[in-house]
Amino acid sequence: MKLASMSSCLDMSDIVKLLFIGDIVGKPGREITRRVLPELARTHDIDLVIANVENAAGGNGITRDVGESLRDYGIQVMTTGNHVWDKKEALSYILDEPRLLRPANYPKGVPGQGHFLARTTQGIPIGVVNVMGRIFMNPLDNPFVVVENDIATLRSTEEKCIILVDIHAEATSEKKAMGWHLDGKVTAVVGTHTHVQTADETILPHGTAYITDVGMTGPHDSIIGVSIKPVLQRFINGLPARFDTATGNPRLNAVVISADINTCHATSIERIDLSEEDIEP
Ligand code: FE2
């Protein structure tokens, strides 16, 4: 674990702590979340837990049952990305569950919302925004424009609120650009989708915590969550192969972000990469 920090002598009652869990993949990802999250949240004194869940159901998509299980494990807001509709029932589930987000830059009329205003048990407002990149991905609306609209909508309800943006994108450049685009305008910009945790967590000059990719909560002895053999075979011979979720070496990848509720700026970002054995009972 590594800590990027700008903190000085803040009163701890002015600090709110967010845990953002990187892409939860299949049953191995759900299981390690169930086992590790309570202790992780307790030791870090977490006020709000957010996770990207677009691959939580069978390795692709999200279902009502899986979403409700993840909520029971302690996840309060769920973000997604390009796999959000892989399980068709997500189209109806998202209408009943406003804490499940889809990328805000889907065209008008698509079910669901791209932002949610949560509150901590102390009543502190925390906005979450989900957008998707367009480089090497489906060409949705411009995330750099849409994200500002969603931030404005949150601020029209709560002028002073902590805001975290999940930019679900393939290209490092697009995520870095989003970080600089929103520096000073939101509390945190975190990248998801590649399933590989990057070591570039930082606090940008105007107070926004940033990481290019939070990583994957799922089986790490895999090719980004999928069993190695069929993926390797396809790379070698180009023939179709059935891809299944791997099982080996489940790990939880996340970041803990601390923020000052007076300025809504981040004071630290800490990277987490844990196996079950790393958590003391
Ligand atoms: Fe994705």
Side-chain angles (χ1 to χ4, degrees):
M1 289 184 225
K2 189 191 157 199
L3 186 70
S5 175
M6 284 181 74
S7 63
S8 50
C9 46
L10 280 164
D11 182 340
M12 286 311 286
S13 65
D14 289 342
I15 295 292
V16 79
K17 294 183 83 175
L18 316 179
L19 176 70
F20 184 95
I21 301 174
D23 304 35
I24 297 174
V25 174
K27 195 169 183 184
R30 300 197 307 270
E31 271 303 288
I32 191 162
T33 300
R34 183 179 69 81
R35 290 165 190 257
V36 168
L37 178 54
E39 184 65 9
L40 185 62
R42 194 187 65 75
T43 54
H44 286 270
D45 202 16
I46 296 297
D47 295 293
L48 190 80
V49 181
I50 308 150
N52 187 293
V53 303
E54 69 153 4
N55 290 311
N60 295 102
I62 180 73
T63 61
R64 187 182 297 266
D65 281 354
V66 166
E68 287 177 359
S69 296
L70 293 172
R71 295 261 315 142
D72 289 343
Y73 303 161
I75 293 165
Q76 290 151 289
V77 183
M78 300 177 282
T79 61
T80 58
N82 53 308
H83 288 292
V84 60
W85 311 124
D86 285 7
K87 300 279 190 288
K88 282 197 172 59
E89 70 174 89
L91 289 161
S92 56
Y93 176 40
I94 205 166
L95 295 174
D96 301 331
E97 180 48 273
R99 295 162 294 196
L100 173 65
L101 303 182
R102 47 86 170 155
N105 51 328
Y106 269 101
K108 209 173 174 186
V110 168
Q113 297 288 330
H115 65 263
F116 180 74
L117 186 62
R119 285 182 196 276
T120 68
T121 50
Q122 285 78 33
I124 296 163
I126 299 177
V128 180
V129 183
N130 191 188
V131 288
M132 197 162 99
R134 300 192 295 179
I135 298 175
F136 310 124
M137 303 187 90
N138 288 337
L140 300 182
D141 294 344
N142 188 330
F144 291 85
V145 174
V146 171
V147 77
E148 292 202 300
N149 296 337
D150 281 62
I151 292 165
T153 302
L154 288 167
R155 294 229 189 273
S156 69
T157 307
E158 283 288 348
E159 192 182 342
K160 208 174 188 185
C161 82
I162 282 162
I163 295 178
L164 176 142
V165 175
D166 172 359
I167 163 83
H168 193 81
E170 183 76 35
T172 303
S173 58
E174 198 171 18
K175 297 187 205 181
K176 295 285 281 186
M178 187 62 78
W180 288 106
H181 180 51
L182 298 180
D183 182 23
K185 298 175 186 164
V186 299
T187 310
V189 175
V190 298
T192 56
H193 176 70
T194 71
H195 295 192
V196 177
Q197 188 176 72
T198 56
D200 62 338
E201 75 278 15
T202 191
I203 308 288
L204 295 171
H206 298 290
T208 297
Y210 173 83
I211 186 168
T212 298
D213 207 290
V214 178
M216 175 179 67
T217 297
H220 278 231
D221 286 354
S222 69
I223 297 174
I224 61 170
V226 177
S227 295
I228 296 164
K229 200 172 170 186
V231 179
L232 203 47
Q233 274 304 311
R234 196 199 275 188
F235 275 116
I236 291 166
N237 61 24
L239 294 173
R242 180 194 155 101
F243 287 179
D244 292 313
T245 303
T247 56
N249 188 21
R251 304 188 70 81
L252 183 143
N253 285 179
V255 285
V256 174
I257 294 158
S258 300
D260 180 346
I261 60 172
N262 301 301
T263 61
C264 298
H265 290 165
T267 55
S268 68
I269 176 168
E270 179 181 1
R271 204 156 29 91
I272 306 282
D273 175 19
L274 290 175
S275 71
E276 199 179 323
E277 292 72 40
D278 294 326
I279 288 276
E280 292 292 325

